[in-house]
Amino acid sequence: GEDVEQSLFLSVREGDSSVINCTYTDSSSTYLYWYKQEPGAGLQLLTYIFSNMDMKQDQRLTVLLNKKDKHLSLRIADTQTGDSAIYFCAEASSGGGADGLTFGKGTHLIIQP
Amino acid sequence: DTAVSQTPKYLVTQMGNDKSIKCEQNLGHDTMYWYKQDSKKFLKIMFSYNNKELIINETVPNRFSPKSPDKAHLNLHINSLELGDSAVYFCASSQDRGHGSYNEQFFGPGTRLTVL
């Protein structure tokens, strides 16, 4: 079955870069996603990457994909207090057209002043 | 306008009761989901519905039953509530583009269920 692993906590200083790492097991995943959950809120799609890409950049966000190692990372440049949230890596579950998502356990990003 | 809405936001109830959580989406999507997030924030899919047909049913007790009166609604009914059912339940929706296609899911704000 699918499995997505992330470290549970990351603490960075305001203004530094944050790098959140994720490993996954399903080599057939065509899209991989990063969702953000702020306290008391639902999840919001932050960014995604297609499996034939190595890198995707979107303003302060950079996603790196190493398909051989099944490793995905999210880099947030110039981390701000508003970036404090839980970040979930996700891949589509196998099983037909209406795929649910298999989420990692989420990385709590803690910003130090 | 709210894209995916859930009611109630909070639900506190006694063990053994039966309760329902409602979900509605106004995005015109054809697939809806229910996820459970436990106290450690771990998120797991419970069900998905596509065109009123159950597509995924993970290892969820049969006390949980999704009900979809139409494409815009997917309600979650829970019988004989247990302490372990306490969690935040998220509804989500997406447009099915086929297996392996881009699938952005839009999440509701969650319903925090507490079973006493």
Side-chain angles (χ1 to χ4, degrees):
Chain A
E2 305 89 10
D3 199 15
V4 180
E5 297 286 341
Q6 301 176 241
S7 52
L8 292 183
F9 295 95
L10 175 66
S11 179
V12 298
R13 288 188 180 279
E14 192 175 357
D16 287 351
S17 291
S18 306
V19 180
I20 302 170
N21 294 302
C22 169
T23 56
Y24 60 98
T25 56
D26 187 352
S27 56
S28 67
S29 294
T30 49
Y31 286 91
L32 293 147
Y33 306 87
W34 284 103
Y35 278 80
K36 177 182 180 182
Q37 184 180 28
E38 295 182 353
L43 281 75
Q44 274 190 301
L45 181 67
L46 197 59
T47 187
Y48 67 94
I49 189 165
F50 185 51
S51 59
N52 71 351
M53 298 168 68
D54 298 325
M55 184 180 89
K56 180 180 178 182
Q57 189 148 7
D58 182 4
Q59 298 183 336
R60 291 191 299 123
L61 304 177
T62 304
V63 179
L64 295 178
L65 175 61
N66 182 328
K67 204 174 176 185
K68 175 176 164 288
D69 295 338
K70 299 195 190 82
H71 182 266
L72 182 72
S73 68
L74 172 70
R75 179 176 178 269
I76 305 172
D78 187 25
T79 309
Q80 304 297 310
T81 53
D83 296 325
S84 182
I86 306 174
Y87 292 81
F88 291 92
C89 172
E91 63 174 357
S93 309
S94 302
D99 293 328
L101 293 174
T102 299
F103 286 89
K105 289 184 165 64
T107 299
H108 295 238
L109 180 61
I110 300 160
I111 316 300
Q112 300 171 21
Chain B
D1 284 343
T2 304
V4 182
S5 59
Q6 296 179 226
T7 53
K9 192 170 171 62
Y10 299 97
L11 182 55
V12 181
T13 188
Q14 299 283 340
M15 254 188 342
N17 284 349
D18 302 338
K19 290 292 178 186
S20 291
I21 306 172
K22 295 185 176 181
C23 177
E24 177 180 1
Q25 55 96 3
N26 63 7
L27 297 166
H29 288 161
D30 60 6
T31 307
M32 295 181 72
Y33 311 83
W34 277 104
Y35 289 85
K36 178 181 179 181
Q37 186 174 45
D38 64 22
S39 58
K40 293 182 179 175
K41 305 294 187 185
F42 301 160
L43 199 63
K44 286 202 72 93
I45 186 164
M46 300 175 72
F47 303 104
S48 75
Y49 251 75
N50 181 311
N51 294 323
K52 303 179 82 169
E53 180 186 357
L54 182 67
I55 300 296
I56 303 171
N57 185 348
E58 297 291 311
T59 54
V60 171
N62 58 14
R63 298 181 296 103
F64 290 79
S65 54
K67 296 193 192 311
S68 180
D70 55 58
K71 208 168 79 164
H73 296 84
L74 183 65
N75 304 324
L76 182 65
H77 189 75
I78 316 168
N79 289 330
S80 303
L81 278 155
E82 299 177 358
L83 294 176
D85 298 333
S86 294
V88 181
Y89 292 85
F90 287 99
C91 177
S93 74
S94 70
Q95 186 62 33
D96 179 26
R97 294 184 175 86
H99 181 60
S101 298
Y102 176 67
N103 179 9
E104 178 179 358
Q105 297 188 9
F106 292 79
F107 283 77
T111 296
R112 182 175 293 278
L113 172 64
T114 303
V115 183
L116 303 175

